[in-house]
Amino acid sequence: MLRFNPGKYLALTTAVALFLIMQAGLFVLDLVVSAQIRDDATYERLASRQTLLLQIIYESALHVGEGALPASLREEQTVLLDKTATHFDRTLTAFTQGGNAVGKRDNEVFVAAIDTLQAQALLLEAQALWKPLVETIYGVTRQAAAPETDTRELALRVIEAQPDLLRLMTRLAALMDETAEKNAATLHLAKIVTLALAAISFLVI
């Protein structure tokens, strides 16, 4: 005759309850980490785009600084320089303070400020280089006919600052990619541990 074993029933109930709790915790962790991975991927794409913008700024500034450039081409390059500098500035500000960044096809993307210490150190250095440079850029692009001395000064300043800014944005993109990979590894490990604990709890019973 089979006898009811309350201890066995309680152990089974406890194991099932623990399994459900672990699954719920894993579900929440999955939501949080997955969202962070998506954010890191967005930061990486935007930082990579910043490097492309710097290349355009560099080339446009050199064209604007050339005194022999035809008037129509000079105006075209000035407009391009102003627009590109504005996009770079908005994205850099969004990285440090949060706000709308400019993504592919000039679409706006809202991002929160990047709060990791390594990223903030890179952004602080980038801001120190960029602020005086963008003032010089706007000093040329936002006046009707900038003096030749100003356009040449602009070209020299871009040549001087661009390599360091390019290095910082490249490092930021790599850092965000590394962070996304670490978060993905953390989530994968959490799933393995949860499944292992669940299997152990049922084996013990």
mmCIF file of all heavy atoms in Angstrom, residues 39 42-43 46 88-102 108-116 120 123 127:
data_model
loop_
_atom_site.group_PDB
_atom_site.id
_atom_site.type_symbol
_atom_site.label_atom_id
_atom_site.label_comp_id
_atom_site.label_asym_id
_atom_site.label_seq_id
_atom_site.Cartn_x
_atom_site.Cartn_y
_atom_site.Cartn_z
ATOM 1 N N ASP A 39 21.459 49.140 -26.053
ATOM 2 C CA ASP A 39 21.978 50.497 -25.866
ATOM 3 C C ASP A 39 23.459 50.575 -26.230
ATOM 4 O O ASP A 39 23.897 51.520 -26.896
ATOM 5 C CB ASP A 39 21.786 50.940 -24.410
ATOM 6 C CG ASP A 39 20.328 51.209 -24.069
ATOM 7 O OD1 ASP A 39 19.518 51.357 -25.009
ATOM 8 O OD2 ASP A 39 20.002 51.254 -22.868
ATOM 9 N N THR A 42 23.906 50.644 -29.870
ATOM 10 C CA THR A 42 23.580 51.966 -30.413
ATOM 11 C C THR A 42 24.735 52.928 -30.193
ATOM 12 O O THR A 42 25.117 53.685 -31.107
ATOM 13 C CB THR A 42 22.308 52.519 -29.745
ATOM 14 O OG1 THR A 42 21.214 51.648 -30.003
ATOM 15 C CG2 THR A 42 21.972 53.907 -30.284
ATOM 16 N N TYR A 43 25.301 52.924 -28.983
ATOM 17 C CA TYR A 43 26.465 53.772 -28.704
ATOM 18 C C TYR A 43 27.616 53.452 -29.656
ATOM 19 O O TYR A 43 28.298 54.353 -30.152
ATOM 20 C CB TYR A 43 26.934 53.575 -27.263
ATOM 21 C CG TYR A 43 25.993 54.075 -26.206
ATOM 22 C CD1 TYR A 43 25.716 53.316 -25.067
ATOM 23 C CD2 TYR A 43 25.371 55.317 -26.318
ATOM 24 C CE1 TYR A 43 24.854 53.763 -24.086
ATOM 25 C CE2 TYR A 43 24.505 55.782 -25.336
ATOM 26 C CZ TYR A 43 24.246 55.001 -24.221
ATOM 27 O OH TYR A 43 23.395 55.448 -23.240
ATOM 28 N N LEU A 46 26.900 54.835 -33.150
ATOM 29 C CA LEU A 46 27.007 56.289 -33.173
ATOM 30 C C LEU A 46 28.453 56.748 -33.055
ATOM 31 O O LEU A 46 28.875 57.703 -33.722
ATOM 32 C CB LEU A 46 26.163 56.897 -32.043
ATOM 33 C CG LEU A 46 24.643 56.809 -32.214
ATOM 34 C CD1 LEU A 46 23.940 57.258 -30.943
ATOM 35 C CD2 LEU A 46 24.182 57.643 -33.403
ATOM 36 N N PHE A 88 28.078 66.164 -35.317
ATOM 37 C CA PHE A 88 29.091 65.636 -34.400
ATOM 38 C C PHE A 88 28.891 66.213 -33.002
ATOM 39 O O PHE A 88 28.957 65.495 -31.993
ATOM 40 C CB PHE A 88 30.490 65.980 -34.915
ATOM 41 C CG PHE A 88 31.597 65.381 -34.096
ATOM 42 C CD1 PHE A 88 32.136 64.143 -34.429
ATOM 43 C CD2 PHE A 88 32.102 66.044 -32.979
ATOM 44 C CE1 PHE A 88 33.151 63.577 -33.669
ATOM 45 C CE2 PHE A 88 33.117 65.493 -32.215
ATOM 46 C CZ PHE A 88 33.641 64.253 -32.563
ATOM 47 N N ASP A 89 28.626 67.511 -32.944
ATOM 48 C CA ASP A 89 28.461 68.194 -31.662
ATOM 49 C C ASP A 89 27.243 67.662 -30.908
ATOM 50 O O ASP A 89 27.303 67.425 -29.692
ATOM 51 C CB ASP A 89 28.318 69.696 -31.899
ATOM 52 C CG ASP A 89 28.276 70.483 -30.603
ATOM 53 O OD1 ASP A 89 29.301 70.521 -29.893
ATOM 54 O OD2 ASP A 89 27.212 71.059 -30.289
ATOM 55 N N ARG A 90 26.140 67.456 -31.600
ATOM 56 C CA ARG A 90 24.917 66.976 -30.941
ATOM 57 C C ARG A 90 25.098 65.567 -30.394
ATOM 58 O O ARG A 90 24.634 65.250 -29.290
ATOM 59 C CB ARG A 90 23.747 67.011 -31.924
ATOM 60 C CG ARG A 90 23.277 68.410 -32.277
ATOM 61 C CD ARG A 90 22.039 68.371 -33.144
ATOM 62 N NE ARG A 90 20.929 67.731 -32.443
ATOM 63 C CZ ARG A 90 19.768 67.436 -33.025
ATOM 64 N NH1 ARG A 90 19.583 67.694 -34.310
ATOM 65 N NH2 ARG A 90 18.802 66.863 -32.341
ATOM 66 N N THR A 91 25.768 64.722 -31.155
ATOM 67 C CA THR A 91 25.985 63.350 -30.698
ATOM 68 C C THR A 91 26.947 63.315 -29.523
ATOM 69 O O THR A 91 26.724 62.572 -28.555
ATOM 70 C CB THR A 91 26.525 62.484 -31.854
ATOM 71 O OG1 THR A 91 25.555 62.464 -32.910
ATOM 72 C CG2 THR A 91 26.772 61.059 -31.396
ATOM 73 N N LEU A 92 27.998 64.104 -29.577
ATOM 74 C CA LEU A 92 28.949 64.150 -28.472
ATOM 75 C C LEU A 92 28.270 64.661 -27.200
ATOM 76 O O LEU A 92 28.510 64.140 -26.101
ATOM 77 C CB LEU A 92 30.130 65.052 -28.841
ATOM 78 C CG LEU A 92 31.312 65.064 -27.873
ATOM 79 C CD1 LEU A 92 31.918 63.667 -27.740
ATOM 80 C CD2 LEU A 92 32.374 66.060 -28.328
ATOM 81 N N THR A 93 27.402 65.655 -27.345
ATOM 82 C CA THR A 93 26.654 66.173 -26.194
ATOM 83 C C THR A 93 25.699 65.121 -25.651
ATOM 84 O O THR A 93 25.540 64.972 -24.436
ATOM 85 C CB THR A 93 25.870 67.431 -26.597
ATOM 86 O OG1 THR A 93 26.774 68.433 -27.063
ATOM 87 C CG2 THR A 93 25.075 67.979 -25.413
ATOM 88 N N ALA A 94 25.055 64.370 -26.542
ATOM 89 C CA ALA A 94 24.143 63.301 -26.112
ATOM 90 C C ALA A 94 24.895 62.219 -25.345
ATOM 91 O O ALA A 94 24.392 61.672 -24.362
ATOM 92 C CB ALA A 94 23.433 62.694 -27.320
ATOM 93 N N PHE A 95 26.108 61.910 -25.772
ATOM 94 C CA PHE A 95 26.918 60.917 -25.066
ATOM 95 C C PHE A 95 27.212 61.361 -23.633
ATOM 96 O O PHE A 95 27.242 60.546 -22.712
ATOM 97 C CB PHE A 95 28.252 60.705 -25.786
ATOM 98 C CG PHE A 95 28.169 59.830 -27.011
ATOM 99 C CD1 PHE A 95 29.172 59.856 -27.964
ATOM 100 C CD2 PHE A 95 27.095 58.973 -27.220
ATOM 101 C CE1 PHE A 95 29.116 59.044 -29.087
ATOM 102 C CE2 PHE A 95 27.017 58.165 -28.344
ATOM 103 C CZ PHE A 95 28.045 58.207 -29.273
ATOM 104 N N THR A 96 27.439 62.642 -23.435
ATOM 105 C CA THR A 96 27.851 63.138 -22.117
ATOM 106 C C THR A 96 26.681 63.553 -21.228
ATOM 107 O O THR A 96 26.755 63.413 -20.007
ATOM 108 C CB THR A 96 28.806 64.334 -22.276
ATOM 109 O OG1 THR A 96 28.170 65.350 -23.070
ATOM 110 C CG2 THR A 96 30.094 63.916 -22.971
ATOM 111 N N GLN A 97 25.597 64.044 -21.842
ATOM 112 C CA GLN A 97 24.492 64.578 -21.047
ATOM 113 C C GLN A 97 23.170 63.851 -21.288
ATOM 114 O O GLN A 97 22.214 64.054 -20.539
ATOM 115 C CB GLN A 97 24.295 66.067 -21.356
ATOM 116 C CG GLN A 97 25.536 66.910 -21.088
ATOM 117 C CD GLN A 97 25.351 68.353 -21.508
ATOM 118 O OE1 GLN A 97 24.235 68.790 -21.806
ATOM 119 N NE2 GLN A 97 26.428 69.109 -21.552
ATOM 120 N N GLY A 98 23.113 63.049 -22.333
ATOM 121 C CA GLY A 98 21.852 62.443 -22.735
ATOM 122 C C GLY A 98 21.103 63.389 -23.669
ATOM 123 O O GLY A 98 21.252 64.610 -23.566
ATOM 124 N N GLY A 99 20.341 62.833 -24.591
ATOM 125 C CA GLY A 99 19.580 63.667 -25.520
ATOM 126 C C GLY A 99 19.537 63.041 -26.893
ATOM 127 O O GLY A 99 19.847 61.864 -27.077
ATOM 128 N N ASN A 100 19.157 63.832 -27.886
ATOM 129 C CA ASN A 100 19.035 63.339 -29.251
ATOM 130 C C ASN A 100 20.378 63.393 -29.969
ATOM 131 O O ASN A 100 21.003 64.451 -30.056
ATOM 132 C CB ASN A 100 18.002 64.152 -30.033
ATOM 133 C CG ASN A 100 16.590 63.843 -29.593
ATOM 134 O OD1 ASN A 100 16.288 62.738 -29.152
ATOM 135 N ND2 ASN A 100 15.700 64.818 -29.707
ATOM 136 N N ALA A 101 20.796 62.228 -30.467
ATOM 137 C CA ALA A 101 21.985 62.146 -31.312
ATOM 138 C C ALA A 101 21.524 62.016 -32.757
ATOM 139 O O ALA A 101 20.353 61.744 -33.022
ATOM 140 C CB ALA A 101 22.834 60.943 -30.910
ATOM 141 N N VAL A 102 22.455 62.214 -33.681
ATOM 142 C CA VAL A 102 22.123 62.125 -35.104
ATOM 143 C C VAL A 102 22.720 60.839 -35.654
ATOM 144 O O VAL A 102 23.934 60.645 -35.625
ATOM 145 C CB VAL A 102 22.660 63.335 -35.887
ATOM 146 C CG1 VAL A 102 22.235 63.241 -37.354
ATOM 147 C CG2 VAL A 102 22.148 64.631 -35.281
ATOM 148 N N GLU A 108 17.234 61.183 -35.988
ATOM 149 C CA GLU A 108 17.545 61.455 -34.590
ATOM 150 C C GLU A 108 17.297 60.209 -33.738
ATOM 151 O O GLU A 108 16.319 59.496 -33.930
ATOM 152 C CB GLU A 108 16.710 62.623 -34.072
ATOM 153 C CG GLU A 108 17.087 63.956 -34.703
ATOM 154 C CD GLU A 108 16.498 65.128 -33.949
ATOM 155 O OE1 GLU A 108 15.688 64.902 -33.016
ATOM 156 O OE2 GLU A 108 16.839 66.279 -34.268
ATOM 157 N N VAL A 109 18.216 59.980 -32.808
ATOM 158 C CA VAL A 109 18.135 58.830 -31.916
ATOM 159 C C VAL A 109 18.346 59.326 -30.489
ATOM 160 O O VAL A 109 19.365 59.961 -30.198
ATOM 161 C CB VAL A 109 19.218 57.775 -32.249
ATOM 162 C CG1 VAL A 109 19.100 56.583 -31.320
ATOM 163 C CG2 VAL A 109 19.120 57.339 -33.703
ATOM 164 N N PHE A 110 17.374 59.049 -29.615
ATOM 165 C CA PHE A 110 17.550 59.475 -28.227
ATOM 166 C C PHE A 110 18.412 58.454 -27.489
ATOM 167 O O PHE A 110 18.172 57.253 -27.557
ATOM 168 C CB PHE A 110 16.206 59.606 -27.507
ATOM 169 C CG PHE A 110 16.368 60.024 -26.064
ATOM 170 C CD1 PHE A 110 16.538 61.357 -25.735
ATOM 171 C CD2 PHE A 110 16.396 59.078 -25.040
ATOM 172 C CE1 PHE A 110 16.705 61.751 -24.416
ATOM 173 C CE2 PHE A 110 16.572 59.463 -23.729
ATOM 174 C CZ PHE A 110 16.733 60.800 -23.410
ATOM 175 N N VAL A 111 19.427 58.954 -26.789
ATOM 176 C CA VAL A 111 20.284 58.083 -25.988
ATOM 177 C C VAL A 111 20.486 58.712 -24.612
ATOM 178 O O VAL A 111 20.488 59.933 -24.466
ATOM 179 C CB VAL A 111 21.658 57.852 -26.651
ATOM 180 C CG1 VAL A 111 21.521 57.091 -27.949
ATOM 181 C CG2 VAL A 111 22.391 59.169 -26.880
ATOM 182 N N ALA A 112 20.628 57.843 -23.623
ATOM 183 C CA ALA A 112 20.976 58.315 -22.288
ATOM 184 C C ALA A 112 22.482 58.583 -22.241
ATOM 185 O O ALA A 112 23.235 58.091 -23.085
ATOM 186 C CB ALA A 112 20.596 57.259 -21.244
ATOM 187 N N ALA A 113 22.895 59.371 -21.281
ATOM 188 C CA ALA A 113 24.327 59.635 -21.129
ATOM 189 C C ALA A 113 25.064 58.336 -20.820
ATOM 190 O O ALA A 113 24.559 57.487 -20.092
ATOM 191 C CB ALA A 113 24.556 60.651 -20.016
ATOM 192 N N ILE A 114 26.249 58.178 -21.389
ATOM 193 C CA ILE A 114 27.064 57.003 -21.096
ATOM 194 C C ILE A 114 27.694 57.204 -19.722
ATOM 195 O O ILE A 114 28.412 58.178 -19.506
ATOM 196 C CB ILE A 114 28.153 56.803 -22.162
ATOM 197 C CG1 ILE A 114 27.533 56.750 -23.554
ATOM 198 C CG2 ILE A 114 28.952 55.532 -21.884
ATOM 199 C CD1 ILE A 114 28.553 56.663 -24.681
ATOM 200 N N ASP A 115 27.412 56.279 -18.808
ATOM 201 C CA ASP A 115 27.811 56.525 -17.419
ATOM 202 C C ASP A 115 29.008 55.709 -16.933
ATOM 203 O O ASP A 115 29.370 55.783 -15.764
ATOM 204 C CB ASP A 115 26.620 56.266 -16.475
ATOM 205 C CG ASP A 115 26.047 54.869 -16.645
ATOM 206 O OD1 ASP A 115 26.625 54.079 -17.414
ATOM 207 O OD2 ASP A 115 25.018 54.573 -16.013
ATOM 208 N N THR A 116 29.638 54.919 -17.808
ATOM 209 C CA THR A 116 30.806 54.168 -17.360
ATOM 210 C C THR A 116 32.002 55.114 -17.210
ATOM 211 O O THR A 116 32.141 56.085 -17.962
ATOM 212 C CB THR A 116 31.167 53.045 -18.350
ATOM 213 O OG1 THR A 116 31.528 53.627 -19.598
ATOM 214 C CG2 THR A 116 29.984 52.105 -18.552
ATOM 215 N N GLN A 120 33.334 57.997 -19.816
ATOM 216 C CA GLN A 120 33.278 59.391 -19.406
ATOM 217 C C GLN A 120 34.638 60.063 -19.502
ATOM 218 O O GLN A 120 34.738 61.243 -19.853
ATOM 219 C CB GLN A 120 32.728 59.498 -17.968
ATOM 220 C CG GLN A 120 31.227 59.304 -17.858
ATOM 221 C CD GLN A 120 30.449 60.407 -18.555
ATOM 222 O OE1 GLN A 120 30.893 61.533 -18.641
ATOM 223 N NE2 GLN A 120 29.269 60.060 -19.075
ATOM 224 N N LEU A 123 35.175 60.822 -23.141
ATOM 225 C CA LEU A 123 34.303 61.910 -23.580
ATOM 226 C C LEU A 123 34.760 63.257 -23.026
ATOM 227 O O LEU A 123 34.662 64.287 -23.713
ATOM 228 C CB LEU A 123 32.863 61.622 -23.145
ATOM 229 C CG LEU A 123 32.193 60.450 -23.877
ATOM 230 C CD1 LEU A 123 30.890 60.068 -23.195
ATOM 231 C CD2 LEU A 123 31.953 60.800 -25.342
ATOM 232 N N GLN A 127 35.619 66.349 -25.366
ATOM 233 C CA GLN A 127 34.970 67.651 -25.231
ATOM 234 C C GLN A 127 35.993 68.773 -25.125
ATOM 235 O O GLN A 127 35.794 69.866 -25.679
ATOM 236 C CB GLN A 127 34.063 67.657 -23.986
ATOM 237 C CG GLN A 127 32.751 66.900 -24.153
ATOM 238 C CD GLN A 127 31.699 67.695 -24.905
ATOM 239 O OE1 GLN A 127 32.005 68.677 -25.563
ATOM 240 N NE2 GLN A 127 30.461 67.259 -24.828
#
